[in-house]
Amino acid sequence: MNFHFKNKPVISFCISTFNRSEKIVKLIEEILKYKGDEIEVVVTDNCSTDNTALILSTIHDKRFRYFVNNQNIGAIPNYMKSMSEANGEYVFFSTDKDTINSLGIHDLVNFFNNNSSIISGYCKLDVYETAPNVLFNKGVDGLKNLAYLSKHPTGYFFKNKILKTLNVFENYSSIKKMGPFPFEFIMADMCMLGQTAIVNLPLCYIETMEDVKNIKSYS
């Protein structure tokens, strides 16, 4: 499902998925509760063997774009693939097992529109009340506060035109080279290229401990 926006969306919510049909459809539907054309949702499916494709085929929204890989390329490469397909000014990554609150998207859109000099950062997880955002200068200031923290991948965002210059799929997909936390290396490179930020909005929530215990992780 591909749609070309007359105007570029502000945010591409990029989600990689594999065999989590019930969770992924809830996540997509929650994001799409936001009514504006400032967003798109990009999903790359790593050849799921459950009913993911069938369920996602029922979503009819011009802001939703769904790609199925020709073969299972592995979890980390699929993270990078989802971001590589983004059309928006900013790429926002989420795993398929977490939650994004649609009520927080308006404030995130406003943050990006009002802070165009910010080229990367992350939304703090499990925030229930809005708090001041924290901005960092290009270089060491951002590097020491944002990079190499081995963070959960949901909530990372990057300015797309700069992200594309890094060729993330080609350069950050190798687990032998990057380990299991490629976003840390992407963030480090982005910190050296421009201003960064930590955004404190009620937006992203990670899976519960009960889910962690009962649901297999494929990454």
Side-chain angles (χ1 to χ4, degrees):
M1 302 175 188
N2 293 310
F3 180 83
H4 296 286
F5 290 81
K6 291 182 180 179
N7 298 309
K8 182 184 295 186
V10 177
I11 307 170
S12 295
F13 288 97
C14 297
I15 308 162
S16 66
T17 193
F18 180 73
N19 282 1
R20 283 201 179 100
S21 60
E22 292 185 6
K23 278 186 168 286
I24 186 72
V25 72
K26 289 179 181 177
L27 173 58
I28 295 167
E29 288 175 346
E30 176 63 25
I31 296 171
L32 292 176
K33 286 180 182 177
Y34 179 81
K35 299 302 182 184
D37 282 337
E38 300 96 339
I39 69 165
E40 67 170 359
V41 178
V42 178
V43 173
T44 51
D45 184 348
N46 218 4
C47 295
S48 293
T49 57
D50 63 0
N51 60 342
T52 294
L54 179 63
I55 289 181
L56 296 192
S57 70
T58 66
I59 299 177
H60 303 291
D61 191 305
K62 66 183 183 180
R63 302 168 298 169
F64 175 55
R65 301 167 61 226
Y66 176 51
F67 301 88
V68 180
N69 297 333
N70 293 327
Q71 61 183 3
N72 189 315
I73 59 176
I76 302 301
N78 201 37
Y79 288 1
M80 302 300 113
K81 176 74 182 300
S82 68
M83 296 195 298
S84 298
E85 297 290 355
N87 288 328
E89 294 179 17
Y90 284 88
V91 172
F92 187 103
F93 183 81
S94 175
T95 70
D96 59 356
K97 58 187 179 179
D98 295 323
T99 303
I100 292 176
N101 180 8
S102 61
L103 296 178
I105 293 176
H106 175 75
D107 289 336
L108 184 63
V109 169
N110 283 342
F111 173 79
F112 288 141
N113 282 336
N114 294 326
N115 295 276
S116 60
S117 62
I118 300 298
I119 67 165
S120 66
Y122 68 83
C123 283
K124 197 168 183 179
L125 303 175
D126 297 333
V127 171
Y128 292 93
E129 293 185 6
T130 300
N133 303 314
V134 185
L135 277 57
F136 303 104
N137 295 322
K138 173 183 175 181
V140 175
D141 187 32
L143 193 67
K144 69 183 182 180
N145 286 285
L146 288 169
Y148 307 126
L149 301 178
S150 300
K151 279 179 48 58
H152 185 65
T154 294
Y156 276 102
F157 61 80
F158 309 99
K159 202 161 200 175
N160 200 7
K161 67 179 182 180
I162 298 177
L163 188 70
K164 288 187 182 304
T165 68
L166 299 181
N167 298 315
V168 292
F169 185 78
E170 293 82 3
N171 294 328
Y172 299 86
S173 290
S174 171
I175 196 166
K176 290 183 179 179
K177 181 180 178 182
M178 296 290 159
F181 297 100
F183 289 96
E184 306 302 336
F185 294 90
I186 298 173
M187 180 63 75
D189 287 341
M190 296 289 276
C191 284
M192 302 309 293
L193 296 173
Q195 289 182 297
T196 52
I198 297 173
V199 176
N200 292 297
L201 292 175
L203 185 69
C204 303
Y205 302 92
I206 61 174
E207 64 179 343
T208 66
M209 290 305 296
E210 190 67 21
D211 284 341
V212 172
K213 182 176 70 174
N214 294 326
I215 300 175
K216 177 179 175 60
S217 173
Y218 291 97
S219 51

